[in-house]
Amino acid sequence: STLSSSSAASDVYKRQLQADIDTSADVSLLPAGDQNEAVYITKIARLSNLSRSIRIMIAMMRFGDSNIKLYYRIQKPGSDKVMDEIGWVSIPLPEIGATNVGEEEWEDFEYTVSGEEFQAFQIKIVMTGTNQAKVPLVKDMRAIAFAS
């Protein structure tokens, strides 16, 4: 009897916790941890000169409803904050690149991010999909920092 009542209380607690979780939030923006199965994070690129923009070129193959999202984080000049404590910023969809989703061909994309000055940066790639047999793929990623 005690076991079933504690089990029922546990079920109520779990349902309450699940109700409190915001499933629409993008946890990929948090500084650490990511609930997605396929996540790639580059090494930190430390720059000898300050930069203001990043150009990312990447080839992707997506299937059906699979998706690939890119994120970045920067370390501002003179910042004492450790890179692992800085949150990620979503990179908007590229202006240059094909959009043949589901064609099962490699597509070249070019992303550009600009704004504040930075002395170091890092890129995160999050690959999602509902079919485990057809996962999104990436290759030939290049990231270049520019002073302008």
Side-chain angles (χ1 to χ4, degrees), residues 58-114:
I58 189 168
M60 302 180 191
M61 184 184 295
R62 298 176 294 172
F63 301 90
D65 65 346
S66 66
N67 197 9
I68 301 169
K69 293 182 182 178
L70 272 66
Y71 300 83
Y72 75 98
R73 62 181 168 192
I74 59 172
Q75 186 177 49
K76 296 177 185 174
S79 173
D80 293 334
K81 207 169 202 181
V82 179
M83 197 67 131
D84 290 340
E85 297 173 356
I86 299 171
W88 296 94
V89 177
S90 179
I91 300 175
L93 292 174
E95 294 179 14
I96 299 172
T99 57
N100 303 327
V101 177
E103 297 233 352
E104 300 181 13
E105 294 178 3
W106 286 101
E107 306 171 73
D108 292 321
F109 288 88
E110 186 175 305
Y111 294 80
T112 303
V113 177
S114 59

Side-chain angles (χ1 to χ4, degrees), residues 13-87:
Y13 179 70
K14 285 179 189 174
R15 280 193 298 266
Q16 181 59 43
L17 280 177
Q18 289 171 343
D20 291 342
I21 295 173
D22 181 4
T23 56
S24 65
D26 186 354
V27 297
S28 295
L29 299 173
L30 299 174
D34 196 310
Q35 95 272 7
N36 294 293
E37 294 289 329
V39 177
Y40 175 77
I41 299 176
T42 66
K43 292 181 179 179
I44 298 170
R46 301 204 184 279
L47 309 172
S48 56
N49 296 318
L50 296 180
S51 293
R52 293 187 70 88
S53 64
I54 306 168
R55 180 184 301 159
I56 303 160
M57 294 151 289
I58 189 168
M60 302 180 191
M61 184 184 295
R62 298 176 294 172
F63 301 90
D65 65 346
S66 66
N67 197 9
I68 301 169
K69 293 182 182 178
L70 272 66
Y71 300 83
Y72 75 98
R73 62 181 168 192
I74 59 172
Q75 186 177 49
K76 296 177 185 174
S79 173
D80 293 334
K81 207 169 202 181
V82 179
M83 197 67 131
D84 290 340
E85 297 173 356
I86 299 171

